[in-house]
Amino acid sequence: MIGELSETRYWMYLLLLPSLLLITAVVLYPTIYGIQMSFREMRLNRPDLGTGFVGLKHYQRMLNDPIFWLSLRNTAVWVTFAIILEFLIGLIAALALHRNLPGSRIFAVMILLPFFLPNVVAGHMWSLMLDPRLGVINDLLLKAGLIDSYRAWFADPATAMAAAILVEAWKSFPFFTLLILAGLKGIPTDLYKAASIDGAGPVAQLRLITLPMIKTIIAAAVILRVIGLVNSPDLLLVLTSGGPGRSTMVLSLFAFQTAYRDFNFGYASALSVVMFILLMIFAWIYIRLSRINQE
Amino acid sequence: MTSTLSRRRLLQTGAGVAGATALMPHWAMAQQAAINYWHTFTSQSEFSGLEAVMASFHASFPDIRVTQENIPNPEFMAKVTAAVVANSRPDVTMVASERFADLHAMGALIDLTDRLNSWDRRGDFDDARFASITDADGRIYGLPAFAFVPWMYYRKDWFDAEGLSAPTTYAEFEEAAIAVTDASQNRYGFSMRGGAGGQSFVIDVMESFGAPIVSNGEIGLNRDAAVEAVDWYAGLLTRHGAVPSSAPNDGFRQIMEAFQTGQTGMIWHHTGSFQDMASFLEPGVEFATAVMPAGPAARVARLGYAFNSLTSEANADAAWEWISYWGEPDAAVALLGATGYFPASSVAAADPRIAGDPLYAPASETLGFGGPPPSFPGYAGWSETSVMPLFQAVLIGQLTPEQAVDQMIDALEEAIR
């Protein structure tokens, strides 16, 4: 019977069935469950309200919620500046490592170290290093004459987001370094030799050869990091908890607090669905603009 | 001689081995039950206290193995909620008074009423001790492990030099905070907890000014009194500069460091940090303790209790032995000796090692007038996600006290709607 079945066009569907079941169980079901929760009343500490269908109630609330709009704006700032910094530092580090200078292997390991640290550990470490009483960073800046007294970086709304972005960039730039370095290894050296003969300097070579050749890798890395930055509240949770005030409140942190402080899983799910849609739109626009799927 | 193994013999042997194997785990479990315990102890002294209690428990109950797991306070509710939703609960969980309403509402806790009523040490605990872990139907869900008795630490040496005595009212407190502040020396009057965990002090100050969150069973805020309270409390930083500028981000670690390293002259906390404090500064000489000062309308001190509650039925008997052991005077004194946490048991609190120590006198006095913290579903979330950031916004000048209180009132109505 199996022999006969394997000759039919249904055989390939049968072979795909285990994978489909697995994907349904671990991807589709949780996603659909999360989406349907956003249309329900789901407050764990208010069982008296039930879990009935509430339509677009949570989405309507979101439109009138100033914390949502503030979090959306902060998310844009957080993601944009963190990505720019991470990309630039990652690119410089990758170019330096690609030159195979003496000690490159040791530097490669050292550069990758921050990426291996859990966010919570990195957060607490930087929280201590930037501490307004005992922080070594304040001490160094004071000795260098860049500040005139110890600063409370995370207590001042003018510096809290910037300080958190710097910590995030330090933590995650190795991700770009790793991917860009892999891309650099794949560029034929002949291209550089030919460009050099044609009189192209290092900057022109970077602009006309290196960056176009690793464009696909950069696009993939940016999309992955944007997803990571939008979805992960842990670093900001440790560093600022969204404060002072709500000056570092981002969407993921707002959704986390709504779920696990207010126990309002319905509204938190609606926030998550909006983040999901925003990320899909971003990825679509970014891929179209970078034209990576036309090559 | 050769021996052959018959088929029947093989089956008999196999069945015997299988039966013995199946019974062995049960036999082993009967010998030693294992329970896991989630708690929020963080400091070295708290861990020393926990270890002392665990060692003492193990000596009395060698057949029960306790595995402890620390859940940092800020992540506690998230972790417990996830465990309840996923049904991967620990056997025993530490429950702070203000968290009971939310945890009970989500069905995280197991009714202990019957076990408590037949417990031989039930008489050691006043009924009031159970008030904040009892539901509307009178069912009790936890056993008090120790008390959070709030009090104030102050730098006795600084106060003596300025000719000041321990403040008894908010007016005296403000005066003392300003008097010992010398910003040019990086010295400030008060360690304000304006970051994580500071919301309870904001709420206490509001009540001290006549704006309790719960009044005659009604939930709400007296706007004028709350505005006055927020204005006074934030004014310690914004008007008087008597608080370090880092206050809007200062949580437990930061306020402790500030006091212990000589940056600040006063701090509000509870007796549980006494031994930690004593490891940095000399008690009675460099620092002393005092009762929380009185506000214009009331003197407020939240007598919170850390309860141990069963969160799973799996090892209920062994778990009960563990949580009831915390009511033994020896366990209570061991914890107090390592940390400073006050016993919840009246019998243990009367122990001469505690009652005879003058540094603990403010704590004993507080037991006379202190009351439980507010507790209703939504309170913990409201205080953490609304009161705290809105008060911070006043500290950093983003909102006026009026604007902040108006938003707190709106958020409170949303939380209980």
Side-chain angles (χ1 to χ4, degrees):
Chain A
M1 187 191 164
I2 289 176
E4 284 172 20
L5 193 63
S6 68
E7 297 298 319
T8 68
R9 64 196 174 97
Y10 300 111
W11 181 242
M12 68 173 182
Y13 295 114
L14 202 66
L15 292 177
L16 281 173
L17 194 62
S19 307
L20 280 174
L21 286 174
L22 193 68
I23 289 169
T24 304
V26 300
V27 179
L28 280 180
Y29 175 73
T31 308
I32 292 166
Y33 185 75
I35 292 170
Q36 68 90 21
M37 225 160 55
S38 72
F39 298 107
R40 290 188 173 277
E41 193 68 70
M42 190 73 79
R43 288 169 70 174
L44 287 193
N45 59 352
R46 294 291 302 278
D48 54 308
L49 297 176
T51 56
F53 181 74
V54 292
L56 295 172
K57 177 187 159 185
H58 298 312
Y59 294 93
Q60 283 167 346
R61 176 185 164 184
M62 207 183 297
L63 290 176
N64 299 314
D65 187 346
I67 306 172
F68 166 73
W69 293 107
L70 176 68
S71 305
L72 187 63
R73 197 192 69 188
N74 285 343
T75 305
V77 172
W78 164 248
V79 173
T80 306
F81 286 98
I83 284 287
I84 291 171
L85 265 182
E86 287 172 25
F87 170 69
L88 288 176
I89 303 170
L91 178 67
I92 293 167
L95 290 171
L97 290 175
H98 187 54
R99 295 178 76 87
N100 283 328
L101 298 170
S104 283
R105 281 171 187 271
I106 294 170
F107 279 116
V109 173
M110 284 174 62
I111 281 172
L112 288 176
L113 279 179
F115 196 58
F116 297 145
L117 278 180
N119 276 350
V120 175
V121 176
H124 283 297
M125 192 179 83
W126 277 94
S127 176
L128 277 171
M129 282 167 48
L130 290 165
D131 189 275
R133 280 165 283 272
L134 310 169
V136 66
I137 305 278
N138 270 318
D139 204 36
L140 291 173
L141 292 174
L142 194 68
K143 281 176 180 158
L146 295 172
I147 52 173
D148 50 12
S149 62
Y150 277 30
R151 298 279 300 271
W153 303 98
F154 294 118
D156 183 347
T159 55
M161 181 62 98
I165 287 172
L166 281 175
V167 175
E168 168 57 39
W170 173 86
K171 169 82 181 62
S172 299
F173 85 87
F175 177 76
F176 278 94
T177 306
L178 206 62
L179 291 191
I180 292 173
L181 190 59
L184 293 176
K185 301 278 185 202
I187 302 175
T189 49
D190 296 354
L191 292 176
Y192 292 106
K193 285 177 188 164
S196 188
I197 291 165
D198 288 345
V203 176
Q205 287 180 20
L206 176 72
R207 192 168 58 86
L208 299 170
I209 300 172
T210 309
L211 291 179
M213 291 294 282
I214 58 171
K215 196 170 76 173
T216 311
I217 286 176
I218 292 171
V222 167
I223 289 173
L224 288 172
R225 276 310 298 147
V226 168
I227 293 170
L229 281 163
V230 171
N231 284 336
S232 302
D234 40 8
L235 199 59
L236 280 172
L237 187 68
V238 173
L239 293 174
T240 65
S241 291
R246 291 188 176 105
S247 52
T248 58
M249 181 65 79
V250 293
L251 276 177
S252 56
L253 192 52
F254 183 37
F256 173 82
Q257 291 193 343
T258 304
Y260 291 108
R261 299 289 185 268
D262 296 331
F263 307 108
N264 191 341
F265 278 70
Y267 190 41
S269 296
L271 290 166
S272 305
V273 169
V274 168
M275 284 161 57
F276 176 73
I277 292 168
L278 289 176
L279 281 172
M280 298 272 280
I281 293 170
F282 163 79
W284 181 73
I285 293 173
Y286 186 74
I287 289 169
R288 279 184 71 87
L289 288 179
S290 59
R291 296 177 186 162
I292 52 174
N293 55 358
Q294 292 173 12
E295 292 168 5
Chain B
M1 193 178 97
T2 59
S3 67
T4 53
L5 191 63
S6 71
R7 191 175 165 197
R8 175 169 295 179
R9 181 92 180 156
L10 179 68
L11 285 173
Q12 281 172 343
T13 310
V17 170
T21 310
L23 285 172
M24 271 175 71
H26 298 288
W27 177 76
M29 279 170 69
Q31 290 301 300
Q32 191 170 62
I35 54 170
N36 56 344
Y37 175 51
W38 285 9
H39 61 85
T40 53
F41 289 131
T42 42
S43 70
Q44 203 172 346
S45 64
E46 285 176 328
F47 269 94
S48 302
L50 176 62
E51 280 166 15
V53 176
M54 284 173 69
S56 169
F57 175 76
H58 189 65
S60 302
F61 296 90
D63 295 340
I64 302 174
R65 187 165 56 86
V66 178
T67 312
Q68 57 85 17
E69 189 176 340
N70 159 257
I71 315 291
N73 239 324
E75 287 105 60
F76 183 82
M77 287 306 279
K79 179 128 183 178
V80 173
T81 307
V84 170
V85 173
N87 204 20
S88 57
R89 304 156 178 236
D91 296 301
V92 181
T93 305
M94 181 184 282
V95 178
S97 304
E98 64 273 17
R99 287 177 171 150
F100 168 66
D102 285 327
L103 289 171
H104 175 49
M106 69 176 77
L109 310 175
I110 287 165
D111 183 5
L112 296 177
T113 316
D114 293 339
R115 286 182 187 270
L116 264 168
N117 288 339
S118 55
W119 184 38
D120 55 1
R121 284 210 175 270
R122 175 65 182 84
D124 293 358
F125 294 81
D126 297 339
D127 288 347
R129 299 283 192 272
F130 297 93
S132 50
I133 198 86
T134 304
D135 71 6
D137 300 323
R139 290 188 295 257
I140 301 170
Y141 291 85
L143 207 156
F146 56 86
F148 295 102
V149 183
W151 62 3
M152 198 184 88
Y153 297 99
Y154 65 97
R155 284 298 298 256
K156 189 171 182 307
D157 46 354
W158 295 9
F159 273 56
D160 288 347
E162 296 285 338
L164 297 164
S165 53
T168 57
T169 64
Y170 278 11
E172 290 175 14
F173 175 82
E174 182 182 271
E175 197 181 318
I178 295 167
V180 298
T181 295
D182 182 355
S184 65
Q185 299 297 313
N186 193 29
R187 196 173 108 164
Y188 297 89
F190 177 51
S191 263
M192 178 185 281
R193 191 166 178 175
Q199 61 272 10
S200 57
F201 294 114
V202 181
I203 290 167
D204 289 356
V205 171
M206 289 199 286
E207 183 162 340
S208 300
F209 272 81
I213 310 301
V214 182
S215 179
N216 299 323
E218 293 288 317
I219 298 168
L221 263 182
N222 175 333
R223 182 181 182 275
D224 293 342
V227 168
E228 203 185 340
V230 169
D231 184 50
W232 176 81
Y233 193 40
L236 293 170
L237 172 68
T238 58
R239 266 196 303 280
H240 304 301
V243 167
S245 60
S246 59
N249 192 49
D250 281 351
F252 169 74
R253 177 180 66 77
Q254 289 88 350
I255 61 167
M256 284 294 163
E257 275 171 12
F259 188 81
Q260 289 164 350
T261 59
Q263 192 192 24
T264 55
M266 289 183 283
I267 186 171
W268 290 349
H269 201 241
H270 53 67
T271 61
S273 50
F274 181 80
Q275 294 300 338
D276 248 1
M277 212 61 95
S279 65
F280 285 88
L281 301 165
E282 193 177 344
V285 179
E286 289 179 299
F287 82 92
T289 56
V291 177
M292 291 291 280
R299 169 171 270 171
V300 176
R302 304 292 184 192
L303 282 181
Y305 293 95
F307 295 93
N308 284 326
S309 296
L310 262 62
T311 37
S312 166
E313 294 274 18
N315 295 301
D317 290 338
W320 168 255
E321 297 293 359
W322 166 241
I323 66 172
S324 58
Y325 187 75
W326 286 76
E328 297 291 331
D330 282 350
V333 172
L335 185 71
L336 178 110
T339 61
Y341 278 122
F342 234 64
S345 149
S346 310
V347 171
D351 189 290
R353 289 169 287 181
I354 299 167
D357 188 336
L359 281 167
Y360 282 120
S364 300
E365 189 182 339
T366 303
L367 289 174
F369 70 87
S375 183
F376 52 85
Y379 168 74
W382 169 74
S383 65
E384 204 170 333
T385 62
S386 295
V387 173
M388 199 66 256
L390 290 167
F391 179 69
Q392 286 176 351
V394 178
L395 288 178
I396 59 177
Q398 281 181 346
L399 293 177
T400 63
E402 289 81 3
Q403 290 169 327
V405 169
D406 285 342
Q407 290 186 38
M408 285 179 200
I409 292 171
D410 290 345
L412 182 60
E413 285 170 2
E414 176 71 31
I416 59 175
R417 186 180 297 152

